[in-house]
Amino acid sequence: MNGAWGIAGGVLTLLGVVVTGWFTYRGTRAAAVAQAAAVAPAIKAQDFAVLQATVERVDKENGELRQWQRRTEAILRAFSWSSDRWCRQMERQGITPEPPHPLVDEYNRTGV
């Protein structure tokens, strides 16, 4: 009879461990879902802050690049006017200037 009680006690213990594990699993999952729901707005706010900082940095870089491009175009335009003036001075003195570089010639023809 002691053997039967021992087996019954072992089966009940095993059943208790399995049920306790199952409840623990359910509780842990529910807690994880609740925590994720509570943390999600903070994560989205952090992601938005990173995105906003990136957009501001890119806007600043674009502004600097546009300013540099305008300055470069102004210098190129001034150099073009100067070289054209020098070329006309040479022609008035009877000196034939060398032909322009092919890229310059293409720009003079197409404007691009």
Side-chain angles (χ1 to χ4, degrees), residues 73 76-77 80 101-112:
E73 288 173 350
L76 180 62
R77 201 171 15 260
S80 174
H101 188 276
L103 290 175
V104 174
D105 189 43
E106 180 182 349
Y107 177 79
N108 287 338
R109 281 185 294 108
T110 63
V112 180

Side-chain angles (χ1 to χ4, degrees), residues 20-104:
T20 302
W22 183 73
F23 279 120
T24 302
Y25 171 75
R26 275 190 48 193
T28 304
R29 285 190 52 147
V33 168
Q35 183 180 11
V39 173
I43 291 174
K44 286 184 180 181
Q46 184 181 14
D47 290 346
F48 180 72
V50 169
L51 178 63
Q52 189 173 13
T54 303
V55 167
E56 289 172 2
R57 181 183 54 82
V58 169
D59 282 347
K60 180 182 175 191
E61 288 176 1
N62 281 346
E64 291 170 357
L65 287 173
R66 286 184 182 133
Q67 182 180 7
W68 179 80
Q69 183 179 1
R70 281 192 296 270
R71 179 70 180 144
T72 302
E73 288 173 350
I75 290 171
L76 180 62
R77 201 171 15 260
F79 181 77
S80 174
W81 292 336
S82 297
S83 63
D84 184 56
R85 190 178 69 237
W86 296 330
C87 184
R88 280 188 266 123
Q89 284 177 347
M90 288 174 65
E91 287 174 347
R92 276 188 298 227
Q93 296 297 323
I95 303 170
T96 305
E98 292 186 22
H101 188 276
L103 290 175
V104 174

